[in-house]
Structure formats: C-alpha cells, structure tokens
Amino acid sequence: MRRFLVDRASIENVNIVQQEAELEPPPNVVNEFNPNEIVRDPGHNELSNILQRKDLNIVNAMELVDVVKARLGTMRESGWNNFFADVQGFCVAKSILVPNMDDEIPVRGRSRAEGRTITNLHHYRAEIFYVAIDKICVEMDHRFSEGSNIILDCFSCLDPKNSFSKFDVDKLARLADIYHADFSDDDRGTIRDQLETYVLQVRRNASFSTCEDVQSLAMKMVQTEKHLVFPLVYKLIELALILPVSTASVERAFSAMKIIKSKLRNKINDVWFNDLMVCYTEREIFKSLDDIDIIRTFTAKKSRKGHLPRNFI
C-alpha cells in the first residue's frame, strides 16, 4: 500500500508539472531549428548532386571538390560574423533567447572547483563552429585523398571541351603506370606517341568538336572507328567511364542487394539474382518499356503449351 501511494503521488506530481509547463511552453529549439535556414554549407548541394549522378562528370566533380574546400577554408577564416548574424536573426524570429557572448561559463570537461571559465563567444566559435568545419574538411580529405585527386586530375585531361584544351600527355601517360595491370610494358612505352598523334588528329577532325564530355567522346570514337586506331587511348577512356561506377552506383547496388536478397529469399541463384539486380537498379529504364512488348518478345522466343489471348499477339 505504501508503495502504491508513493507511486500515485509521483504520478500526480508529474501531471501537475506537465500542466504548468503547458501554460507557458518554452521554445523548443530542436523542433524549431532548421539547419537549412541558417547553415549554408558552401557548395554542398551541388557537390552532393553531381557525385550521386550515374553519368558522373569527372571534370565537374573535380572542380567542385576544389571549390568546396576553398569555400570551407574561407568560411572558417572570416565567416563567423555572417553566420552569427544569421543565427541571431533566426532566434529572434523564433522567440529564442540569445545568450550574451561576453558572459563566462565553466570549461566543459573540467571540475568547477578549478574555477576555469571561458566566454560564450569562445565556446560557440572555437569549440563548435571551428570544430564542425574542421571535421567536414577532414572527412573531405579522407574521401578525396591526394591519390584520388591525382587520378581524377589525370582523367580530367580527357575532357574534349574547347578543342581538348586540358589535354596533357604526361598526366595521361601517368595513368598507364597507375593502372599497370591493364597496360603491358610495351603499352607504357608507346602510349605517349599514341597520345600525341591522337590529340593532333581529333583537333583537326570537325566531328569531335561537338563532344561535350567523356561519354560523347567515347561514342564518337566508336562511330569513327578511332577506337581501333588508338586502342590505348580508348582504354583510358574506358577506365574513365568505369571510374564513376565505383562510387555512387556501387552504393546503390549494395542497397538493392539487401532489398532483393532478404532472409526469406536467400536461395536465389546468381543468374536470377543478377537479372533482378539489373531490373531494380535500372528501374527507370524498365518503367519506360511497354508490358505488351515484353510479353510478345517472351512469347516469340519459343513455342509453349499455353497460348496467350489474341489481343496480346
């Protein structure tokens, strides 16, 4: 009985506190705060969108990575005042109390008995603002390491825009050393001569002036049969086209694997599983196909015991 009375009294006290809180609800910073209204991550949306595209343009991605890194550095050096002004405007609009930046607060992680204090300005600027930007920069350096940047920079030399203005024989020949498993010793010895002959010929060929990216360049080389004349250059182009597959497309494929091959459906053979993966990852293409055409194609492959209605044939 005593335990019951204690529990009931506790519940009543909680209800009273909740009722009093409902009279004057304090502003909920978590619910009101929208990071997009305050933090303008420099170049984040553009870089995220271009890296998630299937037809990834290496040149644009490389340029955006450098731009985002530079803007993050500028934001860290001189972006605090503008950022704090945006935060103040947000807090005023949402009726949120803005702390005085000159007030002193105890150092976090230290005993209060030590009496060590810092200002709110130091806490929010040095311990939160700078730290957040530094973590983003470290993550970008990890994702786009020096080795990755070198490879992307070399592949960007294949860009056909402005009459192959970015074409660099030394950087492209370096790719043959990086991908040494795809090029023999003889290939690495002759690739420079082939690159020099290739760039002279495509610059004189008017049909290559319409190429806008590496994809269209590869298609034009096949149409003009230049891939047979310059097989080593075409192999570099193939590597450039395969490179985007190792980023966003692979992540989508692994996500699709978890959806298709579940615990209840774990005995799918490799051929059937591969077909399902293609249908799922390229579902936008399959949505454009007519079901009637698929049925007719399937029926025409061989004769079957069952016959479809006449309106399907």
Side-chain angles (χ1 to χ4, degrees), residues 217-258:
L217 175 63
M219 295 174 61
K220 184 62 66 175
M221 287 194 67
V222 174
Q223 292 173 1
T224 58
E225 296 185 352
K226 289 292 189 295
H227 68 295
L228 302 177
V229 181
F230 305 104
L232 299 181
V233 180
Y234 188 71
K235 185 177 290 186
L236 291 177
I237 296 176
E238 287 179 327
L239 291 173
L241 295 175
I242 293 173
L243 182 64
V245 178
S246 63
T247 54
S249 300
V250 171
E251 294 180 2
R252 294 190 184 98
F254 277 107
S255 299
M257 288 175 62
K258 297 179 181 179

Side-chain angles (χ1 to χ4, degrees), residues 84-148:
F84 183 61
D86 291 341
V87 173
Q88 282 183 316
F90 173 84
C91 292
V92 170
K94 302 297 182 180
S95 301
I96 301 173
L97 181 64
V98 180
N100 187 354
M101 293 293 106
D102 295 329
D103 290 345
E104 294 187 353
I105 58 174
V107 177
R108 296 177 182 269
R110 293 282 185 176
S111 174
R112 290 178 178 267
E114 296 182 6
R116 299 179 59 181
T117 60
I118 57 174
T119 62
N120 280 323
L121 178 62
H122 177 82
H123 170 65
Y124 287 108
R125 183 172 61 180
E127 297 182 356
I128 296 180
F129 181 74
Y130 289 162
V131 171
I133 294 180
D134 290 341
K135 287 184 177 180
I136 295 174
C137 293
V138 170
E139 182 65 22
M140 288 194 66
D141 290 337
H142 175 70
R143 294 293 183 94
F144 303 98
S145 60
E146 183 179 358
S148 300

Side-chain angles (χ1 to χ4, degrees), residues 31-269:
N31 293 335
E32 295 286 345
F33 180 73
N34 182 5
N36 294 326
E37 295 183 12
I38 292 182
V39 181
R40 276 82 174 181
D41 192 359
H44 173 271
N45 292 331
E46 293 82 1
L47 182 61
S48 177
N49 292 335
I50 196 172
L51 290 178
Q52 293 181 22
R53 291 177 57 184
K54 289 185 178 180
D55 54 339
L56 174 61
N57 190 316
I58 299 175
V59 179
N60 291 339
M62 188 65 189
E63 292 175 351
L64 271 178
V65 168
D66 294 336
V67 169
V68 171
K69 286 183 178 180
R71 291 195 61 189
L72 284 172
T74 303
M75 186 177 182
R76 190 186 189 283
E77 295 296 329
S78 59
W80 164 254
N81 292 331
N82 294 333
F83 175 78
F84 183 61
D86 291 341
V87 173
Q88 282 183 316
F90 173 84
C91 292
V92 170
K94 302 297 182 180
S95 301
I96 301 173
L97 181 64
V98 180
N100 187 354
M101 293 293 106
D102 295 329
D103 290 345
E104 294 187 353
I105 58 174
V107 177
R108 296 177 182 269
R110 293 282 185 176
S111 174
R112 290 178 178 267
E114 296 182 6
R116 299 179 59 181
T117 60
I118 57 174
T119 62
N120 280 323
L121 178 62
H122 177 82
H123 170 65
Y124 287 108
R125 183 172 61 180
E127 297 182 356
I128 296 180
F129 181 74
Y130 289 162
V131 171
I133 294 180
D134 290 341
K135 287 184 177 180
I136 295 174
C137 293
V138 170
E139 182 65 22
M140 288 194 66
D141 290 337
H142 175 70
R143 294 293 183 94
F144 303 98
S145 60
E146 183 179 358
S148 300
N149 290 339
I150 291 174
I151 295 176
L152 291 175
D153 185 49
C154 293
F155 276 123
S156 66
C157 297
L158 292 170
D159 185 20
K161 292 181 180 178
N162 300 323
S163 187
F164 296 84
S165 59
K166 294 184 178 181
F167 197 88
D168 191 319
V169 175
D170 294 332
K171 291 182 178 180
L172 291 173
R174 187 177 181 183
L175 288 173
D177 297 328
I178 296 174
Y179 292 92
H180 57 85
D182 297 296
F183 296 90
S184 64
D185 294 336
D186 294 337
D187 293 340
R188 289 194 289 272
T190 59
I191 191 171
R192 288 180 177 273
D193 294 334
Q194 191 171 126
L195 286 168
E196 292 175 356
T197 307
Y198 161 79
V199 70
L200 289 175
Q201 186 164 357
V202 294
R203 282 174 176 172
R204 294 177 180 178
N205 195 329
S207 60
F208 284 87
S209 61
T210 58
C211 298
E212 294 293 332
D213 48 28
V214 180
Q215 292 90 332
S216 59
L217 175 63
M219 295 174 61
K220 184 62 66 175
M221 287 194 67
V222 174
Q223 292 173 1
T224 58
E225 296 185 352
K226 289 292 189 295
H227 68 295
L228 302 177
V229 181
F230 305 104
L232 299 181
V233 180
Y234 188 71
K235 185 177 290 186
L236 291 177
I237 296 176
E238 287 179 327
L239 291 173
L241 295 175
I242 293 173
L243 182 64
V245 178
S246 63
T247 54
S249 300
V250 171
E251 294 180 2
R252 294 190 184 98
F254 277 107
S255 299
M257 288 175 62
K258 297 179 181 179
I259 297 173
I260 297 174
K261 197 167 186 177
S262 61
K263 293 181 179 179
L264 299 178
R265 195 169 53 232
N266 59 356
K267 294 184 179 180
I268 304 177
N269 60 39

Side-chain angles (χ1 to χ4, degrees), residues 295 299 302-313:
I295 294 173
T299 305
K302 64 178 181 179
S303 59
R304 306 177 188 278
K305 293 182 179 180
H307 297 283
L308 294 173
R310 293 183 178 179
N311 58 342
F312 282 97
I313 303 176

